[in-house]
Amino acid sequence: MMNKQSIICGLLGLALFTSAHGQEKSVEISGQIKGVGNAEIRVLDPVRGEIKRFNASQDNFKINLPVYTNDQRFYTLHLPSLGDMGPSMKTPALFFMVDNDPINIQAHIEDGSLKTDTIIGANDLNAFNSTYKQLKSTGKLMQASEEYNKAFNAYNNVAQTEENLQALKAVGEKIEAIYTEQGEEIAELIASNPKSLTIATLASQYTAPDMTVDAIAKFLSQFDQGVVAQSFYLKELQTKLAKVSQLEVGQQAPDFSIIGIDQKTIKLSDFKGKYVLLDFWASWCGPCRREMPHVKAAYEQFKGNNFQVFAVSIDRDAAAWKKALAEDKMPFVHALDAKGKESVSDLYMVKAIPTNFLLDAKGKIIAKNLRGEELSKFLATQL
């Protein structure tokens, strides 16, 4: 039986022998979106972002695009006129896969949302949708979602009574239980179909693991290695596994350069010889601001013992960041995170804030996410 370390090493080794993406080819994508008129249409790739921007012609369109055809990634067709991509009660986009040439998309606009009618030629997408609809939990989720919408409306738009609140909570708990059931259903499908690319795609969308080494490695180990080598989403998890493995306690912290508040370049490696708390935060993050007094207290207590705090903000608004620095009077090293490919928060897989990494004098990670008085207590054992 393979142990956990063998599984992780095997999966990381497999990544070295598989291409980063699927096979790219030029494919004709055409269709009709009733109601779009001559409005703008965008096509987005999950890695490259926007790959095409064009205008429809009296509801119709036809383009040729270089796309990947054998890894079951979802492409996005977005109508900017319906709204931005992001959380919304409306749906300004539809999703499609490409495994044939040509692809024909038939859709319409209804109540401010983009509705898919048919996607002809997308056999992989049809198989994906068919498999999902066959899950027993899918029907239950649809019914429970309708119940939730009614309960949500009753509480928020009719009367905010205790009775309506409890009804809303009860439906929410019911949906959570169905999600658990769905996860179990998909796990059974994986066990009986470890070589199925469609099941791999389904699992990656509905039962994706937590971003920990153990969770990702366990998830990937369920699939045949040929599927791992082909699936876009499993390869993405492979990449994340490699990155997360580099951020485990005992690993050397990845070095980076960033522009500090004084506009001078700062390298993490500049602090070799000191213990460093690499702290990710933002001015708008309430828990971050509430945590800052504990960070300041630890800094004041240990700054004479080769200890430094390197605070990296993920703020988008530089003015708000500087205002928070002035308000909270944080007397340590500060920088505003860059966006895009140079993002330090992406390098450190920051998915929520506050997040912190404590490094020793050699730049190795010795602890993560120390909160409150835990930080000072841990530093006392080290310094």
Side-chain angles (χ1 to χ4, degrees), residues 217-361:
K218 182 179 178 181
F219 183 79
L220 289 173
S221 68
Q222 300 174 92
F223 300 96
D224 180 83
Q225 290 196 344
V227 174
V228 177
Q230 183 178 3
S231 167
F232 169 78
Y233 293 104
L234 296 190
K235 284 185 290 185
E236 286 286 289
L237 281 173
Q238 239 181 3
T239 301
K240 289 178 180 178
L241 175 60
K243 291 178 69 174
V244 172
S245 297
Q246 294 174 350
L247 299 172
E248 289 289 282
V249 171
Q251 297 297 312
Q252 193 74 21
D255 198 11
F256 61 86
S257 297
I258 195 169
I259 303 298
I261 193 169
D262 59 359
Q263 296 303 304
K264 294 182 180 178
T265 300
I266 308 169
K267 284 186 176 182
L268 180 63
S269 54
D270 292 341
F271 300 102
K272 283 284 182 69
K274 291 187 175 185
Y275 280 69
V276 177
L277 182 73
L278 179 60
D279 190 23
F280 293 92
W281 71 292
S283 64
W284 45 262
C285 169
C288 301
R289 302 290 288 273
R290 291 192 292 272
E291 187 65 28
M292 203 55 72
H294 297 288
V295 177
K296 287 171 65 177
Y299 175 75
E300 293 296 338
Q301 183 178 354
F302 295 103
K303 65 182 180 181
N305 292 35
N306 287 326
F307 174 63
Q308 181 58 268
V309 176
F310 189 178
V312 178
S313 168
I314 65 168
D315 273 286
R316 292 181 181 275
D317 186 342
W321 169 56
K322 292 178 181 178
K323 183 173 181 287
L325 294 182
E327 290 174 347
D328 292 355
K329 297 180 173 61
M330 295 174 269
F332 22 82
V333 179
H334 292 279
L336 187 63
D337 193 17
K339 298 300 178 284
K341 294 182 179 180
E342 302 301 320
S343 171
V344 177
S345 57
D346 284 349
L347 177 65
Y348 276 80
M349 301 288 289
V350 176
K351 301 301 179 185
I353 51 174
T355 288
N356 63 50
F357 298 81
L358 182 62
L359 318 182
D360 68 10

Side-chain angles (χ1 to χ4, degrees), residues 152-169:
F152 183 88
N153 180 67
Y155 179 73
N156 288 279
N157 300 323
V158 179
Q160 292 190 353
T161 63
E162 183 64 24
E163 181 181 0
N164 284 344
L165 177 61
Q166 292 306 316
L168 181 61
K169 288 182 177 179

Side-chain angles (χ1 to χ4, degrees), residues 138-160:
T138 300
K140 293 180 181 179
L141 274 175
M142 293 177 65
Q143 181 179 349
S145 295
E146 291 180 4
E147 294 175 17
Y148 184 86
N149 289 337
K150 291 179 181 178
F152 183 88
N153 180 67
Y155 179 73
N156 288 279
N157 300 323
V158 179
Q160 292 190 353

